[in-house]
Amino acid sequence: MDALGKHLLLELKDCNAGLLNDIEYLRIVLSDVARQIGATVIQDSFYQFTPQGVSGVIIIAESHISIHTWPEHNFAAVDVFTCGDVIEPKNAVQPLAEKLKAKSTCYIELKRGTLTESQAMVGWK
Amino acid sequence: MDALGKHLLLELKDCNAGLLNDIEYLRIVLSDVARQIGATVIQDSFYQFTPQGVSGVIIIAESHISIHTWPEHNFAAVDVFTCGDVIEPKNAVQPLAEKLKAKSTCYIELKRGTLTESQAMVGWK
């Protein structure tokens, strides 16, 4: 790979609002999905907003997984940033969609730390 | 704005390797830059890798700012994800480049949580 990492930006739409506002559930979901895709969880930092919404980040040995939720829009934005060639961030899409009851998803994956100047762009999928 | 947030992906190249490996310096830099662009710092989570490299995330009221450094490549990948219309993530580019002594930068800004299906893509700048 001609890059240091891969960065998946995932949009989860029409999710279950209650799950999106449950900080402990989200912490478990992100940790479980991190391990499921082969990442090593190091530490996490989650925060519950008032009146609703959660922000959370898990630092993994391979970079990070983050989530920001808008229960009022049934929406969550997730990032899966992994360095190296072994982990495939796209493997997180389906389990995250299932655990948050998302009815639709779209994502884009970008290379990070390209060692050349060129950067192939792709659209949301 | 027809989106919930803006997400700046910033690549900092040819940085000072010593600064990229200084976890306490990076924690201060990210917090200072967060405040400089008008964000509200809530909590942070930083981790020092062995033999080198730092990962860190600051949760801000408006979403997050993250950094991953590769001192061996003089490279850092930074994300500035902000919700709402007020904060301009691009304002973080210049101060971050200066504080890490980056000789070149490139970035891309994506909309997150678009309430329509369309997503205009732009290339790295």
Side-chain angles (χ1 to χ4, degrees):
Chain A
M1 187 170 69
D2 62 344
L4 296 174
K6 292 179 274 193
H7 190 163
L8 181 85
L9 291 84
L10 170 63
E11 312 266 280
L12 296 164
K13 302 177 181 183
D14 298 317
C15 300
N16 178 292
L19 298 178
L20 294 185
N21 206 37
D22 185 337
I23 186 170
E24 289 310 322
Y25 180 75
L26 295 173
R27 192 193 307 266
I28 292 167
V29 165
L30 256 67
S31 298
D32 284 351
V33 170
R35 294 188 189 95
Q36 195 172 333
I37 66 172
T40 300
V41 173
I42 292 178
Q43 59 198 36
D44 69 48
S45 181
F46 279 72
Y47 184 77
Q48 174 83 55
F49 289 95
T50 302
Q52 58 191 349
V54 172
S55 283
V57 181
I58 293 186
I59 292 183
I60 54 178
E62 300 79 10
S63 289
H64 77 261
I65 301 177
S66 65
I67 189 167
H68 302 286
T69 73
W70 285 260
E72 68 275 32
H73 293 295
N74 303 94
F75 175 78
V78 173
D79 285 47
V80 182
F81 185 163
T82 63
C83 60
D85 288 332
V86 178
I87 296 177
E88 182 50 71
K90 290 192 190 79
N91 290 341
V93 174
Q94 190 61 28
L96 283 167
E98 287 175 5
K99 288 169 192 278
L100 300 180
K101 313 287 187 197
K103 291 182 183 153
S104 71
T105 63
C106 64
Y107 64 86
I108 188 169
E109 189 178 286
L110 303 178
K111 293 178 182 177
R112 299 299 299 266
T114 51
L115 303 178
T116 59
E117 286 298 316
S118 63
Q119 169 69 36
M121 294 299 302
V122 295
W124 291 91
K125 292 178 182 173
Chain B
M1 187 170 71
D2 62 343
L4 296 174
K6 291 179 275 193
H7 190 163
L8 180 85
L9 292 84
L10 170 63
E11 311 265 281
L12 296 164
K13 301 178 182 182
D14 298 317
C15 299
N16 178 292
L19 298 178
L20 294 186
N21 205 37
D22 186 337
I23 186 170
E24 289 310 321
Y25 180 75
L26 295 173
R27 192 194 307 269
I28 291 167
V29 165
L30 256 65
S31 297
D32 285 350
V33 170
R35 294 187 188 95
Q36 197 172 331
I37 66 172
T40 300
V41 173
I42 292 178
Q43 61 198 34
D44 68 49
S45 182
F46 279 72
Y47 184 78
Q48 174 83 55
F49 289 95
T50 301
Q52 58 192 349
V54 173
S55 282
V57 181
I58 293 185
I59 291 183
I60 54 177
E62 301 79 10
S63 290
H64 78 260
I65 301 177
S66 65
I67 188 167
H68 303 285
T69 72
W70 285 260
E72 68 275 31
H73 293 295
N74 303 95
F75 175 79
V78 173
D79 284 47
V80 182
F81 185 162
T82 63
C83 60
D85 289 332
V86 177
I87 296 178
E88 182 49 72
K90 290 191 191 79
N91 290 342
V93 174
Q94 190 60 29
L96 284 167
E98 287 175 5
K99 287 169 194 278
L100 300 180
K101 312 287 187 197
K103 290 183 183 152
S104 72
T105 64
C106 65
Y107 64 86
I108 189 170
E109 189 177 287
L110 302 178
K111 292 178 180 177
R112 299 299 299 266
T114 51
L115 303 178
T116 60
E117 287 297 318
S118 64
Q119 169 72 37
M121 293 300 302
V122 294
W124 291 90
K125 293 177 182 175

